[in-house]
C-alpha cells in the first residue's frame, strides 16, 4: 500500500521546469487531466500530502497495462475544490481543449504549447465523486494512442489515475476506466483501514527530515551544465506494508522493500527530482540519514554488495513492481565515500535504451541518484547522466559537512 501522507510542501521552492495551462472553454478548467514528470511537481499545494507511483496490470507491463496514479490527502474541504460543480459542468459540454506550456528559468522564450483534446466519459460509481476523461494530442487520428483518466474523491483522499489506451474508442476507454476504478476502490479501502496518524518522532542520532531537505537546496551542475534540483518529500523512513521483499536467497537483487523495511522508523529520508536545463537528463534523488539504532553492516552496504558484478538484476522498486534489468554494466564511480555503487542497465523490454543508478555512503548518510523511469537515456546521454548524478552526490555530502 502506498503511504498517502508523503509531504510535497517542500516543492514550493522548486526552481526547475514549470508548466502553465489554458483550457477552452475556460469553465472546463475545473476538470483535472493527468500530468506526469518534473514539471508537474509544484501542482500539489501547501497542506496537501501526496504519494505517486505505478501499478502494473500484467506480468510484463507496458504503457497500456500500467496505471499511473497520484494520491492526495488533506481535509475534505481542500480536496473538494477540485470536484466543485463537476456534474453541472459535465452536463453542459463533454469536450474541451487544454494547452500546456512548459518553461525553464532563464531559458528565454517559452516553447510553443502542446494542445490536447479531452472528452468527459461515463465514470463508474466509486468514492463520493468521480469523473473520467480521455485525452489525446490535437491533430491525431482515430487510430492513434491516447490516455484515459479517472479522478476520484473519497473523504480525505483524492486519486488521479491514467492509463494509456489504443486506439481511443468507447470499448478501450471503458476497460481502462473499469481497471482504474477497481484500483481506486482498493486504495480507498486501505485509506479507511489506515487513517492519518501523528508525525513520527525523529529517530535518535538521525538528521531531521527538514535538515535533509535543506541539503538539496542550492545543488547545481558542473561547469557548462545547468542542473535544477527540487526537494519533493521529507519524512521518517516508512515501512512498506503490502509490498513483499524478494526471497532472501535471491542473489543480484535490488530490493526496495527489504531496504526500506530494515530502515523503517530508524532513519529519515528526503527525496527530490533533478533535471538538466534541456530536460534530456531527469533524475530521482534519495538521501537517507541513519539513526543510532541502525546496526552494521549498514543496509546501504548490504544493498551495494547484493548487486556487485551482476550481469543482470531482479529489482523490486516501489511504484514500479519487479522489473528485470538486463544487461547490467558497472560504472566507475569517482566518489570519496565509505561505500559506493554505480551501474547502467536496460529493462528487458527490448527498447535498447539505458538507465543509470549511482549511490554512495559517508558515515550514516547515504545518497542515491537514478534515472527516472519515464525518461530513459539515449547512448549519447549516458555520460551526462552519470556526471550529473556524481555532482549531486558530491554537493549533498559537501552541504552536509562530510
Amino acid at each position: 500500500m502506498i503511504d498517502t501522507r508523503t509531504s510535497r510542501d517542500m516543492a514550493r521552492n522548486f526552481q526547475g521546469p514549470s508548466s502553465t495551462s489554458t483550457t477552452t472553454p475556460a469553465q472546463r478548467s475545473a476538470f483535472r487531466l493527468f500530468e506526469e514528470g518534473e514539471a508537474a511537481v509544484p501542482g500539489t499545494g501547501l497542506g496537501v500530502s501526496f504519494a505517486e507511483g505505478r501499478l502494473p496490470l500484467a506480468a510484463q507491463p507496458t504503457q497500456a497495462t500500467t496505471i499511473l496514479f497520484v494520491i492526495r490527502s488533506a481535509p475534505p474541504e481542500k480536496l473538494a475544490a477540485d470536484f466543485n460543480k463537476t456534474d453541472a459542468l459535465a452536463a453542459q459540454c463533454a469536450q474541451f481543449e487544454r494547452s500546456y506550456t512548459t518553461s525553464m528559468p532563464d531559458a528565454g522564450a517559452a516553447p510553443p504549447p502542446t494542445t490536447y483534446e479531452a472528452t468527459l466519459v461515463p465514470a463508474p460509481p466509486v468514492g463520493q465523486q468521480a469523473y473520467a476523461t480521455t485525452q489525446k494530442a490535437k491533430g491525431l487520428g482515430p487510430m492513434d494512442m491516447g490516455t484515459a483518466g479517472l479522478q476520484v474523491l473519497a473523504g480525505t483522499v483524492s486519486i488521479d489515475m491514467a492509463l494509456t489506451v489504443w486506439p481511443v474508442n468507447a470499448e478501450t476507454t471503458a476497460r481502462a476506466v473499469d481497471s482504474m476504478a477497481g484500483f481506486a476502490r482498493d486504495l480507498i479501502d486501505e485509506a479507511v483501514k489506515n487513517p492519518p496518524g501523528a508525525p513520527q518522532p525523529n529517530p535518535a542520532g538521525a538528521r531531521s527530515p527538514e535538515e535533509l531537505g535543506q541539503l538539496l537546496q542550492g545543488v547545481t551542475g558542473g561547469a557548462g551544465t545547468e542542473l535544477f534540483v527540487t526537494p519533493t518529500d521529507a519524512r521518517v523512513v516508512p515501512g512498506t506494508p503490502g509490498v513483499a521483499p524478494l526471497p532472501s536467497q535471491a542473489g543480484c537483487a535490488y530490493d526496495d522493500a527489504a531496504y526500506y523495511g530494515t530502515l523503517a522508523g530508524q532513519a529519515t529520508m528526503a527525496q527530490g527530482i533533478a533535471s538538466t536545463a534541456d530536460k534530456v537528463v531527469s533524475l530521482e534523488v534519495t538521501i537517507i540519514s541513519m539513526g543510532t539504532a541502525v546496526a552494521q553492516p549498514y543496509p546501504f552496504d548490504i544493498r551495494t554488495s547484493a548487486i556487485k558484478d551482476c550481469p543482470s538484476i531482479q529489482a523490486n522498486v516501489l511504484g514500479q513492481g519487479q522489473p528485470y534489468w538486463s544487461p547490467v554494466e558497472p560504472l566507475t564511480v569517482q566518489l570519496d565515500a565509505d561505500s559506493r555503487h554505480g551501474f547502467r542497465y536496460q529493462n528487458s523490454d527490448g527498447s535498447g535504451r539505458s538507465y543509470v543508478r549511482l549511490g554512495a555512503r559517508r558515515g550514516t548518510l547515504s545518497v542515491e541518484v537514478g534515472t527516472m523511469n519515464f525518461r530513459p537515456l539515449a547512448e549519447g546521454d549516458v555520460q551526462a547522466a552519470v556526471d550529473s548524478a556524481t555532482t549531486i552526490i558530491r554537493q549533498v555530502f559537501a552541504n552536509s559537512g562530510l
Side-chain angles (χ1 to χ4, degrees), residues 4 29 36 73 93 95 104 110 118 125 134 140 168 177 245 274 287-288 301 324 330 353 366:
T4 60
S29 60
E36 185 188 25
S73 177
C93 178
Q95 295 182 320
M104 298 291 298
T134 60
L140 296 183
V168 182
V177 171
I287 311 173
I288 288 179
D301 298 359
Y324 184 72
R353 294 173 72 83
S366 65

Side-chain angles (χ1 to χ4, degrees), residues 77-333:
E77 62 274 11
K78 188 177 288 287
L79 296 177
D82 291 322
F83 292 80
N84 188 30
K85 300 179 181 177
T86 54
D87 290 342
L89 285 173
Q92 293 174 22
C93 178
Q95 295 182 320
F96 58 95
E97 292 185 358
R98 184 162 297 166
S99 298
Y100 295 93
T101 302
T102 301
S103 59
M104 298 291 298
D106 306 319
T114 301
T115 301
Y116 291 89
E117 296 175 324
T119 302
L120 295 169
V121 298
V126 55
Q128 293 168 284
Q129 294 186 60
Y131 59 90
T133 59
T134 60
Q135 65 182 93
K136 186 166 59 174
K138 189 174 182 179
L140 296 183
M143 294 303 292
D144 284 312
M145 185 177 293
T147 303
L150 180 65
Q151 285 69 34
V152 176
L153 174 66
T156 60
V157 173
S158 71
I159 311 166
D160 290 9
M161 290 159 286
L163 187 58
T164 298
V165 291
W166 177 83
V168 182
N169 58 39
E171 182 181 354
T172 59
T173 298
R175 285 201 303 266
V177 171
D178 283 345
S179 295
M180 291 185 286
F183 177 47
R185 292 186 184 100
D186 290 341
L187 290 176
I188 293 168
D189 288 345
E190 289 295 329
V192 171
K193 296 175 188 175
N194 300 279
Q200 291 181 269
N202 197 60
R207 297 173 189 249
S208 72
E210 293 73 22
E211 289 173 329
L212 290 184
Q214 288 299 317
L215 298 183
L216 288 172
Q217 299 290 349
V219 172
T220 58
T225 302
E226 287 186 279
L227 182 68
F228 302 95
V229 181
T230 171
T232 59
D233 171 28
R235 53 179 166 155
V236 175
V237 174
T240 55
V243 182
L246 295 171
S248 58
Q249 68 272 19
C252 291
Y254 188 91
D255 192 347
D256 280 354
Y259 183 51
Y260 290 114
T262 302
L263 294 167
Q266 303 178 59
T268 54
M269 66 185 296
Q271 294 179 305
I273 295 172
S275 177
T276 53
D278 57 12
K279 298 181 68 178
V280 169
V281 175
S282 295
L283 303 165
E284 294 177 310
V285 186
T286 300
I287 311 173
I288 288 179
S289 174
M290 294 177 286
T292 53
V294 179
Q296 297 192 44
Y298 290 131
F300 177 88
D301 298 359
I302 296 173
R303 184 173 173 88
T304 295
S305 297
I307 56 176
K308 184 178 181 182
D309 301 324
C310 289
S312 61
I313 293 175
Q314 179 62 60
N316 189 14
V317 181
L318 298 183
Q320 297 181 30
Q322 297 186 3
Y324 184 72
W325 297 339
S326 180
V328 175
E329 300 175 15
L331 296 170
T332 300
V333 182

